[in-house]
Amino acid sequence: MAFAVSKRNAMAFAVTLLLVSIPMSSSTLQQDFLQCLVENSDISFPITAAFYSPDQNATLFKEELESTAQNLRYLTPSNPKPVFIFEPMYETHVQAAVVCAKKLQLHLRLRSGGHDYEGLSFVAENETPFVIVDLSKLRQIDVDVDSNSAWAHAGATVGEVYYRIQEKSQTHGFPAGLCSSLGIGGHLVGGAYGSMMRKFGLGADNVLDARIIDANGKTLDRAAMGEDVFWALRGGGGGSFGVILAWKIKLVPVPATVTVFTVTKTLEQDGTKTASKTTRPGNRTISTSYQGQFLGDSNRLMQVMQKSFPELGLTKKDCTETSWIKSVMYIAGFPSSAAPEALLDGKSLFKSYFKAKSDFVEEPIPVEGLEGLWKKLLEEDSPLTIWNPYGGMMARIPESEIPFPHRKGTLFKIQWLSSWSDGKASEEKHMKWMREMYSYMEKYVSKNPRRAYVNYRDLDLGVNEEESDAREWGSKYFKGNFERLVKIKAEFDPENFFRHEQSIPTKIG
């Protein structure tokens, strides 16, 4: 629910001499990295085409850096920039990139979709020099309906995964997120919320295997990495244990007919006593929209709603019967006329300057609490809050099954978001509002710890620094699972090669 206020596989190939065409103005680091790549992998194409650097072509470098980034707050001139961006064409290139970065003491940032809320996949504030390994060229998807599974490479988007599934079957799906431009590599490492989570759990709950590259440049599958590391990958957050090459996901059954609906109410229509998903209000009122996806036809949906949620006042005319793939597009905000092929575009539908936070709610928020929240929302220019109801499978999976711990006892998750368009000019104002609103909500949300969702990254919770205790933020994302994550990290990546501001540390305290 939401409220808003208006205003690829390894291959062998021969080395060519095209490497010598690198412009003399390229950095020594890039030249050394290129030479190391040649020594550690087979290259058969103009390797410079896989690199973007400001020395070679500042315009192309800027375009590539900004191509998938959602949060424009981290693309200002003052933000640190990578020495170069490397786009591997094959898995062997990723292996070599890890080996070479380690040899040359280059810090790596790993990017599959570029959606990290705090820009950690493309900005490193305290690591110099750093490079980006962009996995967007590794996007092969192999669907096997007979085994109810699929392999999806890290650079593929969620939308592409959905599309390739429906290409093979109209009665199979996958319970991942609603944003079709999310990179599947980074999406599943945080848990992966979706509209079918009450039926099937998170995307990460439906992962069968994975292929990663460790800090030594070795490719490991589930059997080779061991069950502890496999556990850590499914919800422990990205950039801590290795480079995700591909996920093997479990397909879930979906009916031929799926029903979707959106019911919108304003405060004037007693919206306080109901509560919801996407909004476009006007005249400075609060609009609440209830959006649903039901795995079945509208007749059955109406029976369920009249029994369980009559207060919403859902009618048959609010409902649209469609296919699973079109229901996914509906939830994602595509126009009804859009064909499924639109999911292959991979372009983010949302680019803005923004700040986000998250909460989990365990007790109903009283009316006075909601009325106070409405007042806070009306103070901001363009706020949005999305509430995801829990129950069903989410309450049945134990909180230690994977690192994502937010399970039984949770009523709903909240995402808070404020966006603006004038960059640094008004950033301080909007950040101040967000923090004040977050403070106001403290007494209505989870406590000890006040929990948060790692895929809605929030550096306000704390960062890895020499004198800091990572438990300050780690317990909020992972509760009691954090200590196990730290232990696995210390054993699997003891030199802390894979790291960022909120990566799992090798020790705490």
Side-chain angles (χ1 to χ4, degrees), residues 3 27 52 62 87 199 224 227 253 289 306 328 442 474 477:
F3 315 97
S27 70
Y52 298 85
K62 183 174 184 293
E87 289 189 351
K199 179 70 173 179
E227 287 302 302
S289 293
Q306 287 166 5
V328 166
E442 183 173 11
Y477 289 140

Side-chain angles (χ1 to χ4, degrees), residues 210-229:
R211 283 208 314 280
I212 70 167
I213 292 175
D214 69 7
N216 297 313
K218 294 181 179 179
T219 301
L220 308 173
D221 61 8
R222 178 176 182 173
M225 73 180 76
E227 287 302 302
D228 277 348
V229 176

Side-chain angles (χ1 to χ4, degrees), residues 316-506:
K316 196 76 175 287
K317 70 179 182 184
D318 297 319
C319 303
T320 300
E321 292 184 349
T322 186
S323 63
W324 172 74
I325 194 68
K326 291 291 282 185
S327 77
V328 166
M329 298 179 71
Y330 177 92
I331 298 289
F334 285 91
S336 59
S337 60
E341 284 72 22
L343 293 169
L344 300 176
D345 187 36
K347 300 295 185 183
S348 175
L349 300 177
F350 177 81
K351 278 181 177 283
S352 184
Y353 299 88
F354 70 88
K355 175 63 182 177
K357 289 180 174 291
S358 60
D359 270 310
F360 290 86
V361 176
E362 298 170 337
E363 299 289 340
I365 300 174
V367 170
E368 60 268 25
L370 291 175
E371 290 175 343
L373 173 59
W374 306 154
K375 291 177 182 178
K376 299 298 292 185
L377 291 173
L378 286 166
E379 294 172 0
E380 180 63 338
D381 296 335
S382 186
L384 174 70
T385 179
I386 303 175
W387 298 18
N388 299 104
Y390 261 61
M393 183 60 73
M394 290 299 290
R396 294 195 288 272
I397 298 174
E399 66 178 44
S400 60
E401 184 74 13
I402 63 172
F404 178 98
H406 315 291
R407 304 287 187 173
K408 187 177 181 180
T410 300
L411 294 180
F412 51 89
K413 173 186 64 67
I414 301 178
Q415 177 178 190
W416 309 105
L417 189 142
S418 177
S419 61
W420 58 96
S421 60
D422 57 350
K424 290 289 184 181
S426 65
E427 179 174 320
E428 183 178 347
K429 165 193 166 184
H430 298 293
M431 297 287 277
K432 180 175 182 290
W433 174 85
M434 174 62 77
R435 289 161 182 159
E436 289 177 350
M437 185 281 305
Y438 187 72
S439 177
Y440 165 79
M441 287 299 297
E442 183 173 11
K443 61 184 176 181
Y444 302 115
V445 298
S446 60
K447 300 172 180 62
N448 302 315
R450 181 176 183 176
R451 298 184 280 130
Y453 177 39
V454 69
N455 269 3
Y456 298 157
R457 183 84 63 187
D458 181 6
L459 294 185
D460 287 354
L461 302 180
V463 297
N464 287 322
E465 294 176 333
E466 284 189 22
E467 302 302 320
S468 68
D469 187 342
R471 277 175 293 209
E472 293 179 6
W473 57 264
S475 63
K476 293 177 171 63
Y477 289 140
F478 307 111
K479 295 180 67 177
N481 293 331
F482 185 59
E483 283 74 13
R484 183 180 176 190
L485 286 167
V486 173
K487 183 175 183 292
I488 295 169
K489 170 72 172 182
E491 294 174 352
F492 191 69
D493 182 19
E495 296 178 4
N496 200 25
F497 177 75
F498 294 107
R499 64 186 184 274
H500 55 70
E501 288 82 345
Q502 281 188 347
S503 59
I504 304 299
T506 56

